[in-house]
């Protein structure tokens, strides 16, 4: 492009540069990605409904593997009750959740453990067994990645959001507008480490899967055959919810 020099009051203005800037501004009016679903964006906090007296029950199925011994299984139920709303030492709003456990339907619930949850402007934090985990980051967007262990000393562990806004089915129950948090999904010839959680709007956690297995690697004959030496599988599925 030819440069046109104009003089105003002894100063030289590079006219072609001005033209380039104006053209760039005009072009970038269309640079912002089009939002096809802005009015339906999900508020991340709706994945963590917190109200004193609200409870949710789950069915749990576990498998335990130990080398040279038969696989052991157990089934039981857990219940999480939001028992108290309070302020933590920093003055932020928090909730105390009481967890109960029972073997089968109809048995009395027995105290199991206590959990705390905090919802900040941009994240949900859950304290389990003395460690804080960032369960989700807001706003929830597809393929969003964060360090779930940023508030503890366990070590970096990157979580990823997937299937945001998708339907999810647990048994015979279907949930609209869910989000899946992939905490880990590694599988090799010698081990498998898979952890994921699914949350539903207005409900909370509806499904959790935790698999930690070590496969046989002691001989060439068993490598790659998914022959389990030891480890465990745990599946937690939504049963029902209500308010006391």
């Amino acid at each position: 492009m030819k440069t046109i020099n104009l003089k105003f009051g002894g100063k030289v203005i590079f006219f072609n540069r001005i033209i380039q800037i104006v053209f760039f501004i005009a072009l970038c009016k269309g640079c912002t990605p089009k939002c096809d679903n802005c009015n339906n964006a999900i508020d991340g906090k709706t994945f963590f409904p917190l109200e004193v007296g609200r409870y949710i029950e789950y069915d749990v199925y576990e498998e335990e593997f130990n080398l040279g011994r038969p696989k052991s299984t157990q089934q039981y139920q857990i219940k999480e009750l939001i028992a108290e709303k309070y302020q933590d030492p920093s003055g932020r709003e928090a909730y105390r959740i009481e967890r109960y456990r029972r073997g089968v339907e109809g048995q009395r619930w027995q105290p199991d453990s206590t959990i705390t949850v905090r919802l900040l402007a941009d994240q949900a934090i859950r304290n389990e067994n003395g460690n804080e985990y960032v369960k989700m980051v807001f706003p929830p967007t597809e393929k969003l990645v964060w360090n779930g262990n940023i508030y503890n000393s366990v070590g970096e562990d990157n979580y990823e959001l997937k299937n945001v806004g998708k339907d999810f089915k647990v048994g015979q129950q279907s949930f609209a507008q869910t989000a899946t948090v992939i905490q880990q999904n590694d599988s090799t010839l010698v081990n498998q480490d898979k952890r994921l959680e699914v949350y539903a709007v207005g409900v909370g956690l509806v499904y959790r899967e935790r698999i930690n297995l070590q496969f046989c690697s002691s001989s060439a004959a068993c490598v790659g055959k998914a022959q389990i030496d030891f480890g465990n599988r745990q599946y937690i599925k939504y049963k029902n919810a209500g308010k006391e």
Side-chain angles (χ1 to χ4, degrees):
M1 178 182 295
K2 182 179 179 180
T3 301
I4 303 176
N5 295 337
L6 300 179
K7 290 186 177 181
F8 291 95
K11 295 182 178 180
V12 177
I13 298 179
F14 298 98
F15 194 71
N16 72 313
R17 186 59 174 167
I18 296 175
I19 293 175
Q20 290 174 359
I21 293 172
V22 172
F23 177 77
F24 180 78
I25 293 173
L27 179 64
C28 279
K29 287 183 178 179
C31 290
T32 302
K34 181 180 178 181
C35 182
D36 295 322
N37 203 26
C38 289
N39 293 331
N40 295 321
I42 300 175
D43 179 356
K45 291 185 178 181
T46 60
F47 286 118
F48 301 87
L50 295 172
E51 182 183 5
V52 174
R54 184 180 183 276
Y55 69 85
I56 188 166
E57 297 178 0
Y58 301 95
D59 289 319
V60 184
Y61 176 76
E62 293 182 349
E63 297 177 326
E64 186 85 21
F65 300 87
N66 288 287
L67 185 62
R69 293 159 57 181
K71 176 184 71 174
S72 64
T73 64
Q74 62 173 327
Q75 299 182 59
Y76 57 93
Q77 297 177 344
I78 57 175
K79 173 182 178 180
E80 293 190 353
L81 170 69
I82 302 175
E84 179 188 13
K85 177 182 177 180
Y86 66 98
Q87 287 189 333
D88 67 12
S90 64
R92 291 176 295 191
E93 186 178 279
Y95 291 82
R96 179 173 60 84
I97 297 176
E98 295 176 350
R99 173 178 277 189
Y100 299 88
R101 174 172 169 163
R102 67 183 179 188
V104 295
E105 187 80 24
Q107 289 185 344
R108 293 189 60 181
W109 291 105
Q110 301 297 324
D112 180 77
S113 56
T114 299
I115 300 160
T116 61
V117 174
R118 291 186 288 125
L119 289 186
L120 306 185
D122 60 347
Q123 56 193 242
I125 303 170
R126 181 173 167 116
N127 189 308
E128 299 176 345
N129 300 317
N131 288 317
E132 289 195 322
Y133 301 93
V134 180
K135 291 296 185 176
M136 191 178 293
V137 172
F138 311 141
T141 56
E142 192 71 16
K143 297 185 179 180
L144 179 66
V145 177
W146 70 95
N147 178 13
N149 288 343
I150 194 169
Y151 295 121
N152 63 51
S153 58
V154 177
E156 184 175 350
D157 193 8
N158 288 328
Y159 297 175
E160 182 178 4
L161 262 180
K162 289 189 176 181
N163 300 325
V164 178
K166 303 291 186 179
D167 294 347
F168 188 85
K169 192 172 184 179
V170 180
Q172 299 301 313
Q173 302 184 77
S174 295
F175 299 91
Q177 289 192 300
T178 70
T180 300
V181 180
I182 306 295
Q183 299 175 343
Q184 190 67 265
N185 191 17
D186 291 337
S187 183
T188 69
L189 294 177
V190 296
N191 62 46
Q192 181 183 14
D193 183 359
K194 182 179 181 181
R195 291 173 280 125
L196 65 84
E197 297 179 342
V198 181
Y199 295 85
V201 166
V203 181
L205 180 74
V206 295
Y207 181 76
R208 174 183 292 159
E209 182 176 327
R210 292 178 176 174
I211 300 175
N212 188 1
L213 301 174
Q214 294 292 321
F215 301 127
C216 178
S217 59
S218 58
S219 68
C222 69
V223 173
K225 301 295 179 59
Q227 180 180 323
I228 301 171
D229 275 355
F230 58 89
N232 55 72
R233 297 190 184 112
Q234 183 191 66
Y235 304 92
I236 296 179
K237 300 180 180 181
Y238 173 92
K239 184 175 183 291
N240 59 56
K243 187 174 180 182
E244 295 186 347

